[in-house]
Amino acid sequence: MKKIFIACAAVATMIGSYSCTKLDVPVESQYVKSNFPVTDADYTALLGTIYSNLSSSYAVPYWRMQDMSTDEAILPARDGNFDDGGQYRQLHYHTWTFDHPNVIGVWQWGFGGINTCNRIISVINAGPSSAAKKASSIAEVKAMRALYLYFMMDLYGNVPIITDFPVTTQPSNQPRAQVYAFIESELKSVLPLLPAKSSNAATNVSQYGRPTKGMVFALLAKMYLNSGVYAGTTRYQETVAMCDSVQANTNYFLDAKYRDIFLPTNGPQINETIFAVPYDQQIPGNQFTRFGFFYYLANAYGFNVGLSIAMSTTPEFYNRFNIPGDDRTKTWLAGPQYYPDGNGGFTNQPVYYPAPNADKQINIIPTLTLTGLKPMDLGNDVLTSQSEGVRSIKYYPDVNIIQATRLNSNDVPVFRLADVYLMKAEAILRGAAPTTVNGEVQTPLTLVNKLRARAHAQLASSIDLDGLLDERARELSWEAWRRNDLIRYGLFEKEYPLPVMGGKTDDLKMNTDPTRRLYPIPSTELKTNPNLKQNPGY
């Protein structure tokens, strides 16, 4: 029931049946402007396409652009397998072009979502509902439009601002600072009309995965923290204010177990989730197990489907998981492997490779060693190269995964309270004044130690900006914020080369040009819209 709102009813239901050879019949529908949308069910059906579009690409193509362009995730080839035209190494080495499949697909996904929002606003405005119902529904749609536009601004920079439906003139790019100001204005305008998270469980189920006041506060905090990147001016005290606005609602609080936040059974019962993208076997888009799990562990985890062997993290990123007792370290598969205990942990029963290596325990090696024979390729030996690369099980493998779809039911958080704590801590370290929330003076150290205490990690005795970036890596790994963080820290161009076997060279170098902080305007858009101008460096 946690995802019932995503069910998309057909807005235009055809009545009667006709021969497929009779093409000149009048189209009839029970829904017309005079009676749609009116009921809550009508609005659920109407708005459903906003959310189904969001889930369709958030956890794979969008996630890849945010995390596989960093040290956090890498998908190397294995003797040519999984190369897929070089698209993953282009993300890793920052050598993507304006016809990269993710560059094109994510632009179309984001602006497709914006276009859907604009269409729905036009339907609501033309419908028979009361002014109050229209206003509250349009506020929800505008909040989602602002979120889509934020994703596009963050990735592509100078993007169009489109609010009309239908679009009668081809849009042109707007300066990034102007897009930033528009998003901020939109969010502030809808804030009074959005619901707040409630202490009522049923209410939270109906609100789950939809914009709330908390989502707006969290998104504004993210924008203000990155304001120097987006608009050229820093707004750290306003970052703190937005983080405090989230915390003012005491229905947000840290869950007792870090692992619970990301299980296949997660949902509105997770107390710290501010906004998440819901997934299940009927909501496609989450395939973390397909791409990031270790194939030879599938039977041990209770399923038998075809999976990739390739995606992992880099040794440099995994090395940050070095705090004694830290539960967050258990979200990675590294070293000798054991059967899971069903609760996110492990038993003492070893898991072995298949024949002819059935006498050897599976051992996942953190290092990644390039052969130098093919671009960003590790080779394909089962015991060595296939077993290289620490795999993430943060989105814990779903036992209901099936071969036909290979989908996970884990909802993917976009904003959660832990990120709010870390954003506030960083803003204070960068110059904002600490504030008191619910009677507690919150300093960067107290905020970081809240998260460490929850994860049973050794508490920090001090924290600086470098340490905070590492803490964000530990807490928010694979949550699509790493690129955003590295750009803000000025580290997105830092090279993290892989070792090369036998002195051979890979002949690939990381592009360290700062223009790579933005993705290019896709080739498909430039061809069809002469009013768009390409970003610098492409």
Side-chain angles (χ1 to χ4, degrees):
M1 294 299 293
K2 67 178 179 177
K3 307 168 184 109
I4 192 170
F5 77 93
I6 288 187
C8 300
V11 172
T13 302
M14 298 302 296
I15 301 175
S17 72
Y18 301 95
S19 166
C20 62
T21 59
K22 188 175 181 181
L23 303 179
D24 58 347
V25 297
V27 176
E28 298 180 8
S29 172
Q30 69 189 56
Y31 297 115
V32 294
K33 289 182 180 180
S34 63
N35 68 5
F36 184 87
V38 176
T39 67
D40 288 344
D42 291 344
Y43 277 95
T44 298
L46 181 62
L47 273 60
T49 50
I50 297 174
Y51 301 104
S52 60
N53 181 77
L54 180 67
S55 61
S56 67
S57 291
Y58 184 82
V60 179
Y62 174 81
W63 180 89
R64 285 177 176 172
M65 293 181 80
Q66 294 288 14
D67 279 4
M68 288 182 65
S69 59
T70 74
D71 57 347
E72 189 168 281
I74 184 172
L75 208 165
R78 314 269 172 166
D79 195 25
N81 298 321
F82 312 110
D83 184 66
D84 291 353
Q87 59 177 299
Y88 312 126
R89 54 183 150 90
Q90 289 169 7
L91 289 173
H92 181 77
Y93 288 111
H94 295 188
T95 56
W96 53 76
T97 59
F98 68 178
D99 56 0
H100 187 283
N102 291 156
V103 168
I104 294 173
V106 171
W107 175 287
Q108 293 173 343
W109 165 75
F111 281 101
I114 290 169
N115 185 63
T116 296
C117 291
N118 292 335
R119 175 181 59 81
I120 289 173
I121 289 172
S122 70
V123 172
I124 294 173
N125 278 328
S129 297
S130 67
K133 180 63 175 177
K134 286 183 179 181
S136 63
S137 299
I138 288 174
E140 177 179 348
V141 179
K142 285 187 174 181
M144 290 304 300
R145 185 175 68 183
L147 181 64
Y148 275 116
L149 188 56
Y150 171 78
F151 293 154
M152 297 299 96
M153 177 193 70
D154 183 68
L155 290 171
Y156 300 97
N158 307 320
V159 297
I161 299 172
I162 306 172
T163 59
D164 296 331
F165 184 86
V167 178
T168 56
T169 59
Q170 291 183 311
S172 58
N173 314 66
Q174 300 299 318
R176 198 182 205 185
Q178 186 172 331
V179 181
Y180 170 94
F182 173 80
I183 297 171
E184 179 188 19
S185 175
E186 286 282 279
L187 292 173
K188 287 182 174 181
S189 71
V190 303
L191 183 59
L193 297 171
L194 293 175
K197 183 176 182 179
S198 169
S199 59
N200 182 282
T203 300
N204 289 331
V205 168
S206 66
Q207 292 176 354
Y208 184 70
R210 301 167 73 171
T212 59
K213 293 183 190 297
M215 190 204 87
V216 169
F217 291 138
L219 179 50
L220 285 171
K222 189 70 69 175
M223 290 180 60
Y224 293 153
L225 184 63
N226 290 281
S227 184
V229 175
Y230 297 147
T233 56
T234 58
R235 301 176 70 174
Y236 298 129
Q237 200 64 53
E238 288 163 280
T239 304
V240 170
M242 291 300 101
C243 292
D244 288 352
S245 294
V246 173
Q247 294 186 74
N249 186 336
T250 56
N251 294 310
Y252 295 115
F253 54 91
L254 294 181
D255 291 88
K257 293 178 64 177
Y258 183 77
R259 165 59 77 199
D260 289 351
I261 306 168
F262 309 99
L263 291 175
T265 54
N266 64 355
Q269 78 277 12
I270 302 300
N271 301 296
E272 69 185 76
T273 298
I274 300 170
F275 183 78
V277 181
Y279 288 102
D280 61 20
Q281 295 300 318
Q282 284 73 48
I283 303 174
N286 182 346
Q287 294 185 314
F288 281 116
T289 297
R290 174 184 178 182
F291 293 108
F293 193 59
F294 190 66
Y295 171 74
Y296 299 117
L297 291 171
N299 287 335
Y301 279 72
F303 50 85
N304 185 16
V305 297
L307 303 172
S308 167
I309 201 75
M311 191 167 70
S312 69
T313 191
T314 65
E316 293 82 2
F317 188 81
Y318 178 67
N319 286 342
R320 293 175 172 84
F321 289 79
N322 56 4
I323 302 175
D326 195 342
D327 291 342
R328 298 169 298 189
T329 304
K330 300 174 184 177
T331 64
W332 299 98
L333 295 175
Q337 294 301 297
Y338 298 86
Y339 274 82
D341 62 9
N343 297 310
F346 304 95
T347 68
N348 294 322
Q349 182 181 357
V351 185
Y352 295 91
Y353 289 102
N357 300 300
D359 60 331
K360 296 180 176 63
Q361 184 179 0
I362 290 177
N363 185 40
I364 296 179
I365 309 163
T367 57
L368 297 168
T369 307
L370 300 178
T371 65
L373 302 176
K374 297 175 183 177
M376 207 174 87
D377 199 300
L378 304 181
N380 207 30
D381 181 84
V382 172
L383 299 181
T384 56
S385 54
Q386 281 194 16
S387 300
E388 287 191 336
V390 172
R391 271 68 166 186
S392 173
I393 54 168
K394 185 170 187 173
Y395 303 101
Y396 197 77
D398 188 349
V399 295
N400 295 314
I401 188 172
I402 60 174
Q403 180 65 39
T405 59
R406 291 177 284 188
L407 299 176
N408 283 48
S409 293
N410 319 62
D411 299 348
V412 179
V414 180
F415 300 111
R416 58 187 181 93
L417 186 60
D419 192 4
V420 168
Y421 285 169
L422 294 173
M423 287 194 288
K424 180 176 181 179
E426 182 180 336
I428 294 171
L429 287 172
R430 293 187 183 276
T435 58
T436 299
V437 176
N438 301 322
E440 174 193 45
V441 178
Q442 293 186 335
T443 67
L445 186 60
T446 61
L447 290 163
V448 166
N449 278 336
K450 283 177 181 289
L451 302 180
R452 288 203 181 188
R454 188 263 296 277
H456 303 103
Q458 178 178 298
L459 299 184
S461 57
S462 62
I463 194 73
D464 58 13
L465 280 170
D466 289 341
L468 189 75
L469 181 61
D470 287 345
E471 201 65 36
R472 287 189 64 83
R474 284 183 283 266
E475 180 67 28
L476 302 170
S477 66
W478 287 41
E479 293 185 48
W481 290 116
R482 184 64 173 170
R483 170 184 164 274
N484 182 280
D485 291 344
L486 292 181
I487 290 173
R488 186 173 64 256
Y489 269 77
L491 296 173
F492 189 60
E493 297 80 36
K494 182 180 178 181
E495 293 189 75
Y496 37 93
L498 300 178
V500 178
M501 182 185 298
K504 299 173 183 177
T505 61
D506 191 68
D507 294 328
L508 293 176
K509 299 290 184 181
M510 183 169 172
N511 187 337
T512 59
D513 194 315
T515 58
R516 297 287 144 165
R517 297 174 191 176
L518 292 179
Y519 285 98
I521 309 300
S523 58
T524 52
E525 306 305 314
L526 294 172
K527 290 176 182 176
T528 58
N529 183 359
N531 293 332
L532 294 176
K533 294 182 180 179
Q534 185 57 277
N535 286 326
Y538 293 99

